């Protein structure tokens, strides 16, 4: 996030000259938008890993294992029941308003 804020182009404030901090209108900040599918990636990462292990014998994190990750994530998300989907949607709304808790951020 620091790199983005340091390298984002900002508009110059009206009536000011120069490139100093006083010439900025404001730094544009980046904020992540969480979706139910993105939250499912966090909540059900064990199911996703198991799904991939059923497909391949590669070590977790290896290129052969990672190539199966998008398909496994989609398959696990499609296989969730209504209660699990509702939990993902509610958690996504909560994370969009307040952000994920410190434990999830540390991961």
């Amino acid at each position: 996030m620091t790199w983005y804020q340091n390298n984002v182009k900002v508009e110059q404030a009206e009536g000011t000259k120069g490139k100093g901090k006083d010439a900025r209108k404001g730094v544009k900040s980046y904020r992540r938008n969480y979706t139910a599918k993105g939250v499912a990636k966090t909540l059900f990462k064990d199911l996703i890993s198991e799904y991939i292990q059923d497909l391949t014998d590669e070590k977790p994190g290896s290129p052969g294992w990672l190539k199966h990750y998008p398909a496994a994530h989609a398959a696990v998300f499609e296989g969730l029941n209504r209660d699990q989907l509702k939990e993902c949607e509610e958690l996504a709304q909560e994370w969009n308003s307040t952000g994920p808790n410190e434990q999830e951020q540390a991961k």
Side-chain angles (χ1 to χ4, degrees):
M1 187 157 147
T2 302
W3 178 91
Y4 181 80
Q5 289 179 340
N6 289 338
N7 292 291
V8 68
K9 293 182 181 180
V10 294
E11 299 173 13
Q12 198 170 22
E14 292 178 23
T16 60
K17 296 180 181 178
K19 294 184 178 179
K21 289 183 181 179
D22 298 333
R24 295 183 184 178
K25 278 189 175 178
V27 176
K28 297 177 184 176
S29 64
Y30 171 78
R31 184 170 179 167
R32 184 171 182 176
N33 187 24
Y34 294 95
T35 62
K37 191 171 183 178
V39 171
K41 187 186 294 188
T42 303
L43 291 180
F44 302 107
K45 70 180 185 179
D46 294 336
L47 289 175
I48 296 170
S49 293
E50 288 175 20
Y51 190 91
I52 297 172
Q53 289 301 323
D54 290 343
L55 297 176
T56 183
D57 292 331
E58 298 281 337
K59 285 184 175 180
S62 69
W65 189 89
L66 288 173
K67 76 177 185 180
H68 294 289
Y69 191 87
H73 177 220
V76 168
F77 184 72
E78 293 295 323
L80 297 179
N81 63 35
R82 287 183 185 178
D83 293 334
Q84 292 169 326
L85 282 174
K86 186 175 180 181
E87 178 185 1
C88 290
E89 290 169 358
E90 289 173 355
L91 198 53
Q93 288 177 354
E94 179 184 329
W95 285 4
N96 284 328
S97 63
T98 61
N101 60 28
E102 291 179 9
Q103 235 179 5
E104 294 302 324
Q105 288 180 3
K107 292 179 185 179

